């Protein structure tokens, strides 16, 4: 599993990456936040083949996780659409949603 310290270190890197390197930094931070959430769900032994599947199952135990779906979908959009532009506002909102999800899971 992930220790709180590891999650906090990785999260700090996510926030730092978001502030650096313009658009690419924002995109990299969003992808890493998504990866971190997936790792957290795996460490809690939430079943599923993908983050989406794990989120669906986790929402039964943690209903507030439904709020992170928007951020996860944004991550999917930026990965599949090379012309996707992430605004500062959407970047901050998405990262805030990922942070709340990690707190809801009790890993942050």
């Amino acid at each position: 599993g992930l220790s709180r310290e590891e999650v906090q270190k990785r999260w700090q890197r996510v926030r730092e990456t978001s502030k650096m390197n313009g658009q690419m930094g924002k995109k990299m931070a969003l992808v890493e936040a998504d990866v971190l959430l997936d790792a957290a769900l795996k460490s809690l032994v939430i079943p599923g083949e993908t983050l989406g599947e794990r989120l669906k199952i986790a929402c039964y135990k943690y209903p507030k996780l439904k709020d992170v779906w928007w951020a996860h979908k944004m991550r999917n959009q930026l990965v599949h659409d090379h012309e996707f532009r992430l605004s500062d506002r959407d970047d901050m909102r998405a990262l805030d949603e990922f942070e709340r999800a990690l707190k809801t899971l009790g890993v942050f």
Side-chain angles (χ1 to χ4, degrees):
L2 290 171
S3 70
R4 283 180 178 253
E5 293 78 23
E6 184 179 349
V7 171
Q8 289 172 352
K9 283 181 194 174
R10 288 177 66 177
W11 187 252
Q12 185 175 353
R13 282 195 308 266
V14 165
R15 288 292 189 174
E16 290 169 2
T17 300
S18 174
K19 295 175 186 172
M20 300 178 343
N21 303 321
Q23 190 65 210
M24 186 55 69
K26 289 179 191 144
K27 289 180 177 183
M28 288 173 28
L30 192 55
V31 169
E32 183 56 32
D34 197 72
V35 168
L36 182 56
L37 177 60
D38 194 30
L41 290 171
K42 286 177 182 176
S43 76
L44 295 171
V45 196
I46 305 293
E49 292 294 316
T50 65
L51 173 56
E53 289 177 9
R54 280 185 278 282
L55 267 177
K56 284 179 189 175
I57 292 167
C59 282
Y60 290 107
K61 184 173 181 180
Y62 307 97
K64 288 184 178 185
L65 287 182
K66 69 179 175 18
D67 296 338
V68 82
W69 273 104
W70 175 85
H72 176 61
K73 288 177 183 176
M74 172 108 24
R75 175 262 176 213
N76 286 345
Q77 188 175 359
L78 78 87
V79 167
H80 297 291
D81 178 0
H82 299 292
E83 295 182 18
F84 181 79
R85 301 275 307 158
L86 187 59
S87 71
D88 289 343
R89 183 174 181 225
D90 285 345
D91 175 53
M92 291 306 295
R93 178 180 170 207
L95 292 181
D96 288 347
E97 291 295 344
F98 279 115
E99 186 172 331
R100 275 194 285 280
L102 293 168
K103 287 178 179 177
T104 296
L105 294 171
V107 297
F108 185 68

